[in-house]
Amino acid sequence: MSPRPPEPPFREPPPQRERRPQQGPRDPERLYVITGGTDGADRAPLDLVTLIVAHADPPPAVPPEQGAVLRMCRTPLSTAEISAYLNLPFSVVTVLLGELLAAELVQARAPVIRSAVADRSLLEAVMHGLQKL
């Protein structure tokens, strides 16, 4: 009789993760709560490149998402960036920003558009400044 080969050590299968419904930003109930149940009819007319700047720190009673917007917008951020950072749809972010604008906690600014051609007087001033060096 030949000796039996050693058996591999017994390993338990890895535990199966319980699959729960995704509790992410796409959860309609969560989005409804964040927007306060408004239908968005009174949404501020904002586009993706509108810059938002906070005037003050978030008050204690402000909802968490609006507090996050106020903390993020100490320096100007576009509405598209706010939407991406919060991982919320743009339509929800415009409702949040509309409430903050109405409460005068933030200011909406048009984006800075740089001209394609530099101003001639500015170029001449730079040139004269460089020549004086």
Side-chain angles (χ1 to χ4, degrees):
M1 215 181 207
S2 68
R4 291 175 47 186
E7 292 183 19
F10 177 74
R11 292 187 181 169
E12 290 187 33
Q16 295 289 326
R17 286 188 176 177
E18 182 181 321
R19 290 193 168 219
R20 289 182 279 164
Q22 184 180 3
Q23 297 293 325
R26 305 291 180 207
D27 185 18
E29 292 86 13
R30 178 174 178 253
L31 298 177
Y32 181 82
V33 170
I34 290 172
T35 60
T38 60
D39 61 355
D42 57 346
R43 243 187 305 182
L46 303 170
D47 59 5
L48 291 170
V49 294
T50 302
L51 297 176
I52 304 296
V53 183
H55 288 302
D57 290 331
V62 74
E65 290 81 10
Q66 290 182 354
V69 169
L70 291 171
R71 283 187 294 279
M72 279 191 299
C73 293
R74 289 183 180 134
T75 59
L77 277 178
S78 71
T79 54
E81 290 173 309
I82 295 168
S83 177
Y85 289 143
L86 292 179
N87 197 20
L88 291 172
F90 180 72
S91 58
V92 173
V93 170
T94 56
V95 171
L96 293 175
L97 292 173
E99 293 172 3
L100 292 172
L101 285 166
E104 297 182 355
L105 294 173
V106 296
Q107 179 184 15
R109 297 180 183 172
V112 177
I113 300 173
R114 298 176 192 236
S115 61
V117 179
D119 183 24
R120 182 176 177 91
S121 62
L122 175 64
L123 291 175
E124 288 175 355
V126 170
M127 185 178 69
H128 292 303
L130 290 172
Q131 287 173 348
K132 289 180 181 179
L133 291 176

